[in-house]
Amino acid sequence: MNQIAVVDYGMGNLRSVAKALEHVAPKANVVIAADARTMRTADRVVFPGQGAMPDCVREMDARGLREPLLAAAASKPFLGLCIGLQMLFEFSEEGDTPGLGLLAGRVERFRDDDMHDAQGHKLKVPHMGWNQVYQAQAHPIWRGIEDGARFYYVHSYYAKPRDALLRAAYSEYPKPFDCAVARANLFAVQFHPEKSQAAGLRLLENFVSWNPQ
Amino acid sequence: MHSRIHAFTAAVLAKRVIPCLDVDRGRVVKGVNFVGLRDAGDPVEVAKRYDLQGADEVTFLDITASSDERGLIIPIIEQVAEQVFIPLTVGGGIRKVDDVRTLLNAGADKVSINTAAVQNPQLVAAAVAKVGSQCIVVAIDAKQVAPEPKPRWEVFTHGGRKPTGIDAVEWAEKVVSLGAGEILLTSMDRDGTRIGFDNVLLRRVCDAVPVPVIASGGVGTLQHLADGVLLGGADAVLAASIFHYGEHTVGEAKRFMAAHGIEVRL
């Protein structure tokens, strides 16, 4: 049985993520996991996140989930979503917070002074809405998803990986930023596949059947 | 796909098309000028239909007057969130931060506050502190109270029944300064009339605030939706009746807008 653990560290509503996974994988056992044991036994781990990064890191540690998260990220298909992507990096400007340090790089805020489109219109922060995702490498997670498909975003911070090879996709707001990263069994996206209709469901479906070597 | 060169063009978020479901005691209804309700179906079924048609978001307005029946919206949101994988906004009857939490936990992505924000503006700030700007929409029902050349719009509350004396444009600025992440702007003069958005009001509010503005009230044709973006400057357009009674699908609306040069998610 394919058991998928959605990591619960008290940050927001995990229901949408769990329901979307159940929708694409009706035979899988989707569990909301707030304990180390479930994360160890699960076949796959989804690491979502909502809210501010300092709170997320504090809650993760308060629940003793740092070690099991690191262990899962090193050993099984692992999908980070939104803050769950940002927390994989070394450091976030949001509250000057150290992250898990699994991936080299920083998380920075969209700079207000840079936020103009080609027509000179001011772009809003948070970056909220449906934006295009341009695939930067072939990956099983993109199977059946059109290059440039729109996904739903809500965020004010984005990751800047030090290693360009991590880039799995980028979006533009207004400059290109990396919105998906991949390394071995690890995949993480800044947007919300659980709220991105057909393209998002396809991404989750691809994750559920992904068997990285 | 590999090292694909993408032309560096305007980074444009798609303009959103949002069907609105007015929910009264568990059913979708639609009124004319805020009165005269007509049944339009089961909310879960209606929301699923719009999701399949390509809606970018769905908004539920709980117009149930009695506080006893207010809780009926919760199981509906839970059911919709299990089956519809796009952002959901819920408004109506929200009085306190706990109400916001309850709706978000039920599966809403955003909560829209109207009357309670006018009665207690600090509610907006308190809710933002708890759940973030991106979850808090302030709904403004505005009625024109002075004509051109110096038009003025006033905020009404309680489903459009109660005047407040507050200027709608100033109110929009105020709630954004308190942290509201989006404005849902309804023209009461246009609501249910099917003669188009009040694009003058829309333009005023869009120019005044740095957050997205959703146009609402008055859509009768697809051209009206396009006009809300092109003339009014709206980031999203909301409509009810043109979708509820099968005159147009959301997909038709988006293709029409795209044909008029508007960036949409197709």
Side-chain angles (χ1 to χ4, degrees), chain A residues 135 147 150 170 195 197, chain B residues 1 4 51 85 109 263:
Chain A
Q135 297 164 18
D147 190 19
R150 287 185 185 271
Y170 66 96
K195 289 288 165 185
Q197 228 253 353
Chain B
M1 188 159 79
R4 174 184 178 283
D51 176 37
F85 302 103
D109 297 283
E263 193 77 23

Side-chain angles (χ1 to χ4, degrees), chain B:
Chain B
M1 188 159 79
H2 294 273
S3 61
R4 174 184 178 283
I5 306 294
H6 172 70
F8 189 78
T9 52
V12 206
L13 285 177
K15 300 295 179 185
R16 289 167 281 154
V17 176
I18 308 176
C20 178
L21 285 64
D22 287 352
V23 180
D24 183 27
R25 285 166 291 179
R27 295 290 289 178
V28 179
V29 295
K30 180 60 199 165
V32 176
N33 289 98
F34 282 62
V35 289
L37 302 173
R38 192 175 149 194
D39 191 277
D42 170 61
V44 179
E45 292 309 313
V46 176
K48 275 166 74 176
R49 186 165 78 226
Y50 293 144
D51 176 37
L52 289 173
Q53 290 177 4
D56 297 307
E57 206 170 302
V58 175
T59 290
F60 296 85
L61 289 181
D62 183 7
I63 60 169
T64 304
S66 155
S67 56
D68 293 345
E69 290 168 332
R70 188 65 71 190
L72 290 177
I73 195 80
I74 300 293
I76 292 172
I77 298 307
E78 287 176 346
Q79 284 177 61
V80 172
E82 283 174 14
Q83 301 174 59
V84 171
F85 302 103
I86 53 176
L88 308 176
T89 302
V90 184
I94 291 139
R95 297 264 165 273
K96 45 193 194 297
V97 176
D98 272 356
D99 298 336
V100 173
R101 300 280 291 203
T102 305
L103 286 167
L104 294 180
N105 285 333
D109 297 283
K110 300 188 245 184
V111 166
S112 149
I113 307 175
N114 187 336
T115 299
V118 175
Q119 291 171 336
N120 173 21
Q122 285 312 311
L123 173 66
V124 175
V128 165
K130 204 80 186 166
V131 300
S133 281
Q134 77 283 352
C135 295
I136 301 299
V137 183
V138 169
I140 301 177
D141 293 336
K143 191 180 174 71
Q144 190 161 359
V145 290
E148 296 280 4
K150 283 195 166 181
R152 190 175 167 273
W153 294 264
E154 185 177 327
V155 176
F156 278 63
T157 58
H158 297 85
R161 292 189 300 274
K162 217 170 148 180
T164 64
I166 300 170
D167 180 82
V169 179
E170 287 171 15
W171 176 236
E173 291 172 326
K174 167 97 189 269
V175 296
V176 168
S177 75
L178 291 169
E182 197 164 48
I183 301 291
L184 166 53
L185 180 64
T186 302
S187 159
M188 292 178 53
D189 306 298
R190 300 302 178 93
D191 195 65
T193 63
R194 306 174 62 89
I195 58 171
F197 295 123
D198 183 340
N199 290 310
V200 181
L201 166 65
L202 256 179
R203 178 56 76 182
R204 289 287 170 99
V205 174
C206 290
D207 287 346
V209 297
V211 303
V213 176
I214 305 168
S216 157
V219 173
T221 67
L222 299 182
Q223 184 65 49
H224 293 155
L225 296 174
D227 288 347
V229 174
L230 299 171
L231 305 177
D235 299 279
V237 288
L238 179 141
S241 60
I242 63 160
F243 299 134
H244 291 341
Y245 303 116
E247 289 162 50
H248 295 289
T249 65
V250 176
E252 280 169 20
K254 293 172 85 171
R255 286 190 292 277
F256 182 92
M257 291 166 72
H260 287 70
I262 299 170
E263 193 77 23
V264 293
R265 177 181 67 101
L266 286 174

